[in-house]
Amino acid sequence: MKKLNLILGFTHQLPFSIQRQDLIDEAMIRDFFLPIKLIDLLNNFTDIKSTLYLNPLFISFLDKRFPDFSLKVNALLEKKQTELLCGGYSDPVFSLISKDDKQNQIL
């Protein structure tokens, strides 16, 4: 049988309507947000390779609420099981913002 290569890519963002961190219940995050479950799933199935797009604002949010999230993502990165694809901090449309703001969004 011929081997099939499949690239899995996932994108996750914190919905704009709930970006206020004080309004979010941790139980809702664990039940609703796929990234937490996805990272655990990928750690259990080491043959699956993936690319994750995680909005930097979302990463900051998860790091504050779930410190082990970044540790789990780092474990996937170290095993070369996952690659990260990231953009600007607030997901700007880079062609519409100034050069200085572009640099600040990335740094």
Side-chain angles (χ1 to χ4, degrees):
M1 180 190 295
K2 187 175 180 180
K3 183 177 178 180
L4 174 68
N5 291 317
L6 176 66
I7 298 172
L8 293 176
F10 302 94
T11 180
H12 305 284
Q13 297 181 4
L14 191 60
F16 184 75
S17 61
I18 59 171
Q19 284 185 6
R20 288 209 31 217
Q21 295 180 18
D22 58 320
L23 299 178
I24 299 173
D25 178 270
E26 286 189 31
M28 181 190 83
I29 295 168
R30 289 197 190 280
D31 292 340
F32 176 72
F33 287 126
L34 178 62
I36 294 169
K37 294 178 181 180
L38 176 64
I39 298 304
D40 288 337
L41 183 71
L42 289 171
N43 272 307
N44 291 331
F45 293 92
T46 58
D47 290 340
I48 297 176
K49 307 257 188 251
S50 66
T51 298
L52 298 174
Y53 172 81
L54 296 169
N55 170 305
L57 182 62
F58 191 37
I59 292 172
S60 295
F61 170 81
L62 288 173
D63 279 342
K64 288 178 187 169
R65 294 291 184 102
F66 305 98
D68 62 330
F69 179 78
S70 285
L71 295 173
K72 291 176 181 180
V73 171
N74 283 336
L76 292 171
L77 294 170
E78 286 175 6
K79 294 187 287 186
K80 301 192 184 302
Q81 185 178 349
T82 295
E83 293 179 331
L84 284 183
L85 176 66
C86 294
Y89 192 77
S90 61
D91 282 331
V93 178
F94 284 113
S95 61
L96 299 177
I97 62 175
S98 71
K99 181 180 178 181
D100 289 340
D101 195 17
K102 287 177 194 174
Q103 291 174 339
N104 290 333
Q105 287 284 333
I106 294 170
L107 303 175

